[in-house]
């Protein structure tokens, strides 16, 4: 795209249509799952095709083909599928249960709620999915609450907070993959930058849960013998985490992790060799939605860019912000608002990523920082909205209202505060 192209606000119509029908369906029905995101995006793509008669249909196909075939989009989709294969295999091998039970078996009862948060952090970093972490740990959190005077919303809040910690840090999280690929940085560099920003928030959150839990009545005695685990089933998670941190290629890590998970699953009797490819396929299939959505969004963004929509947004942002600090705040606000509208942090990053890249190039913001801010503020939004999958899953599994959990969502709020302070006071390195 030429930076001299004239901005055109009407080019943003497809995105506006998507937000209206997606939000409208959710508000009218009270269920934000009523309108599947992929359907909304296909409607938006149809609108984009109907715009700008000066560009013929064949030319539009060429434009979206180039957008979809862009290196970062193709790589991102392949990583999604590889991550799905690993996730499906390690889950079938019993890695999730063993990792959760390992944490519970070594956790002192006196810090049960803080322990739920810490275990949730590790599980989410290992699994790469906040919803998966909540699904695994919400019943445990509810059970701990029932055995003591601690409130169910407090325990579920600790679970959700832990799940959101890994959502924007895990090397195999779809949000991390999307943020890294749209901004063009290395996974390990983004992790280090991201980790420094959120660490203070995580520490304060752990302390808050400790003191809040102490103020509530109840004495918890955990039957540690009931928490069965096998260290072998935890090893694939550790290998993937360590490999990513030391900079091993993400495809090598995921393929190696999948093979190791297969060996562990077969050797421990979790599944037979004949079931291996079925388990792996189930994991890959679970990533189809976000892969297809990424392709459709890339097509929409390609047309929006061609029509001058991206340039219009950049002109608006340029008029409101000054310097790199303002650019970082603009990226943060943009992805936060998109997530609140779409209730899906990966989709928010995929949509806001190209605009964030333009802003970071304009104001010389390092790719690792723009990727971190995209991932963090998408998670901030996703972690606090009561109609997001995370809160709905936690509330549904414990038969409470999402609104009851919201007062205990310390981590997403503190993560946002920590990131803003980081923007305001930390030195920038391109």
């Amino acid at each position: 795209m030429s930076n001299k192209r004239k901005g055109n606000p009407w080019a943003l119509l497809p995105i506006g249509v998507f937000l209206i029908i997606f939000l409208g369906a959710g508000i009218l029905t009270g269920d934000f799952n009523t309108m599947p995101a992929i359907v909304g995006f296909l409607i938006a793509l149809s609108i984009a095709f109907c715009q700008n008669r000066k560009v013929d249909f064949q030319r539009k196909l060429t434009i979206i083909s180039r957008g979809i075939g862009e290196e970062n989009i193709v790589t991102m989709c392949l990583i999604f599928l590889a991550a799905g294969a690993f996730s499906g295999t390690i889950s079938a091998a019993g890695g999730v249960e063993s990792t959760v039970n390992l944490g519970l078996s070594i956790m002192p009862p006196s810090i049960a709620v803080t322990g739920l948060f810490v275990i949730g952090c590790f599980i989410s970093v290992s699994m790469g999915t906040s919803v998966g972490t909540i699904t695994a740990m919400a019943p445990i959190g509810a059970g701990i609450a029932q055995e003591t005077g601690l409130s169910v919303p407090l325990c579920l809040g600790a679970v959700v907070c832990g799940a959101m910690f890994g959502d924007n840090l895990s090397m195999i999280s779809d949000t991390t993959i999307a943020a890294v690929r749209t901004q063009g940085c290395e996974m390990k560099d983004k992790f280090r930058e991201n980790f420094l920003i959120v660490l203070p928030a995580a520490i304060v959150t752990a302390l808050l849960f400790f003191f809040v839990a102490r103020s509530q009545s109840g004495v918890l005695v955990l039957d540690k013998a009931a928490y069965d685990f096998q260290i072998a089933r935890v090893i694939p998670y550790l290998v993937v985490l360590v490999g990513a941190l030391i900079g091993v290629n993400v495809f090598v890590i995921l393929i190696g992790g999948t093979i190791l998970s297969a060996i562990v699953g077969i050797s421990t009797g979790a599944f037979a060799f004949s079931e291996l490819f079925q388990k792996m396929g189930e994991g890959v299939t679970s990533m189809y939605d976000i892969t297809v959505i990424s392709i459709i969004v890339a097509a929409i963004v390609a047309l929006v860019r061609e029509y001058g929509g991206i340039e219009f947004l950049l002109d608006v942002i340029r008029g409101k912000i000054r310097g790199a600090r303002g650019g970082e705040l603009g990226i943060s606000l943009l992805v936060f608002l998109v997530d609140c509208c779409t209730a899906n942090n990966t989709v928010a990053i995929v949509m806001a990523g190209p605009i964030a890249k333009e802003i970071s190039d304009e104001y010389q913001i390092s790719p690792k920082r723009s990727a971190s801010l995209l991932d963090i503020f998408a998670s901030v939004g996703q972690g606090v909205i009561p109609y997001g999958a995370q809160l709905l899953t936690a509330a549904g599994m414990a038969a409470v209202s999402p609104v009851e959990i919201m007062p205990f969502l310390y981590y997403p709020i503190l993560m946002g505060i920590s990131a803003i302070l980081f923007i305001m006071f930390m030195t920038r390195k391109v």
Side-chain angles (χ1 to χ4, degrees), residues 390-427:
Q390 287 75 5
L391 275 182
L392 290 175
T393 300
M397 296 189 74
V400 298
S401 167
V403 178
E404 293 180 77
I405 304 174
M406 290 179 68
F408 303 106
L409 299 177
Y410 307 131
Y411 179 70
I413 295 171
L414 289 171
M415 177 169 54
I417 293 172
S418 179
I420 290 173
L421 292 175
F422 193 91
I423 291 171
M424 299 305 294
F425 300 110
M426 292 299 289
T427 304

Side-chain angles (χ1 to χ4, degrees), residues 228-251:
D228 229 0
F229 66 89
Q230 295 183 32
I231 291 294
R233 294 180 174 180
V234 182
I235 290 176
Y237 280 139
L238 296 176
V239 169
V240 168
L241 179 60
V242 173
L245 285 175
I246 63 177
V248 179
N249 180 275
V250 64
F251 284 110

Side-chain angles (χ1 to χ4, degrees), residues 133-327:
T133 300
I134 292 168
T135 301
M137 294 197 61
I140 296 172
I144 288 176
Q146 291 169 2
E147 293 179 33
T148 181
L150 298 172
S151 72
V152 173
L154 170 64
C155 293
L156 291 180
V159 170
V160 173
C161 287
M164 296 314 300
F165 176 84
D167 197 85
N168 65 91
L169 277 175
S170 174
M171 308 297 176
I172 59 174
S173 169
D174 47 6
T175 62
T176 299
I177 295 167
V180 167
R181 297 315 306 179
T182 58
Q183 302 309 294
C185 67
E186 293 294 327
M187 188 79 74
K188 65 179 185 299
D189 294 332
K190 185 266 184 188
F191 177 89
R192 292 166 183 163
E193 183 89 357
N194 202 147
F195 184 74
L196 289 175
I197 297 173
V198 303
L199 180 60
I203 293 172
V204 175
T205 298
L207 292 173
L208 278 174
F209 278 125
F210 175 74
F211 288 112
V212 171
R214 284 190 62 181
S215 68
Q216 295 190 8
S217 60
V219 177
L220 176 66
V221 179
L222 292 176
D223 180 12
K224 296 188 177 182
Y227 297 110
D228 229 0
F229 66 89
Q230 295 183 32
I231 291 294
R233 294 180 174 180
V234 182
I235 290 176
Y237 280 139
L238 296 176
V239 169
V240 168
L241 179 60
V242 173
L245 285 175
I246 63 177
V248 179
N249 180 275
V250 64
F251 284 110
V252 174
I253 293 172
L254 291 173
I255 293 171
T258 302
I259 295 172
L260 184 57
S261 300
I263 294 172
V264 169
I266 294 171
S267 63
T268 58
F271 51 79
F273 179 79
S274 59
E275 300 175 298
L276 168 61
F277 297 108
Q278 179 185 353
K279 303 299 182 184
M280 193 182 299
E282 289 172 356
V284 173
T285 303
S286 70
M287 301 298 283
Y288 282 179
D289 280 357
I290 190 58
T291 302
V292 174
I293 285 174
S294 299
I295 292 172
I296 299 302
V297 169
I300 295 171
V301 170
L303 290 175
V304 168
R305 179 185 288 113
E306 179 68 22
Y307 301 160
I310 302 294
E311 191 63 33
F312 171 77
L313 284 176
L314 291 174
D315 288 341
V316 172
I317 292 172
R318 290 188 190 105
K320 300 294 183 181
I321 61 180
R322 297 291 182 272
R325 182 175 290 112

